[in-house]
Structures are given as structure tokens and as C-alpha cells.
Amino acid sequence: MEQLAKMNKQELEEKLAEGKYVLFFTADWCPDCRFVKPAMPEIEEEFSDFNFIQVDRDENIDLCQELDVYGIPSFIVYEDGKEVDRFVNKDRKTKKEVENFLKAI
């Protein structure tokens, strides 16, 4: 999974201008993030039509604020530079919940 460099919302939208992306917002210190992280390779494999990008919340705190991401782990889906859907809250997420979210898109 690609690790997102520090950037703002405009730079992010330019980066995601073409294609389908899932942004995975996380942090090393987050126990709920560590809970779902081991399932991410399987999720990536199952949803291979998406490019997955990990966003370190601490590295990109301003971006998280611009995107209204105040809870982690969280997921935002982009297609051709536009946000399509989001699974953003402060709750722990299971592999099944993430898969169901992506299936519904």
C-alpha cells in the first residue's frame, strides 16, 4: 500500500485525478487502526480495481481537517479526483465492515 506524502486537499485531488482510490486514514498509536491493518492486504486483493493509499493522520493533520476526518481508522473513496463515499467515524472497523462499505460503492 502506498504511503501518502504530506499534502493539502488540492494537491491530493490532483494526485487522485484519474482512477479509483481508497484512502485509509490511520496512525501508529491508534489501537483500532492496528486492529484492521492486518486485514488490509486481503481487502486490497479483493478490491484490486482500487488503488489503496495509507494516510498517516499525524503527518497529514491539516489534510484530515480539510477533509473532516476526525476519527480513525477511516476510509474515503475517490474516483477521478472526486470523493465518491466515506466510512469516517471514531469507531473500530472490522474487515467485514470495510468490505461491505466497498461492495456498496
Side-chain angles (χ1 to χ4, degrees):
M1 182 181 318
E2 178 184 347
Q3 179 75 34
L4 188 72
K6 187 173 180 180
M7 62 180 60
N8 63 35
K9 185 177 179 183
Q10 180 181 346
E11 292 167 329
L12 176 70
E13 289 172 348
E14 290 170 12
K15 176 178 178 59
L16 308 179
E18 292 183 20
K20 294 168 67 172
Y21 296 87
V22 176
L23 302 183
F24 170 43
F25 293 84
T26 185
D28 289 339
W29 53 263
C30 168
D32 292 341
C33 301
R34 286 195 305 264
F35 177 80
V36 76
K37 197 175 245 181
M40 291 308 297
E42 290 178 39
I43 293 170
E44 285 183 82
E45 189 175 317
E46 183 178 349
F47 297 92
S48 59
D49 52 327
F50 290 98
N51 297 301
F52 285 76
I53 300 175
Q54 183 172 309
V55 182
D56 185 288
R57 175 229 176 245
D58 296 335
E59 179 76 19
N60 278 288
I61 192 75
D62 293 336
L63 176 63
C64 288
Q65 290 175 342
E66 287 181 276
L67 296 174
D68 294 322
V69 175
Y70 295 106
I72 53 174
S74 287
F75 298 84
I76 300 180
V77 175
Y78 277 81
E79 186 168 352
D80 296 331
K82 303 288 183 208
E83 183 178 325
V84 175
D85 204 355
R86 59 176 44 212
F87 187 17
V88 174
N89 58 42
K90 295 178 182 176
D91 299 332
R92 174 178 278 188
K93 287 146 187 88
T94 66
K95 178 179 185 263
K96 183 144 187 75
E97 288 173 325
V98 175
E99 289 171 336
N100 288 342
F101 163 68
L102 293 173
K103 285 177 186 171
I105 294 174

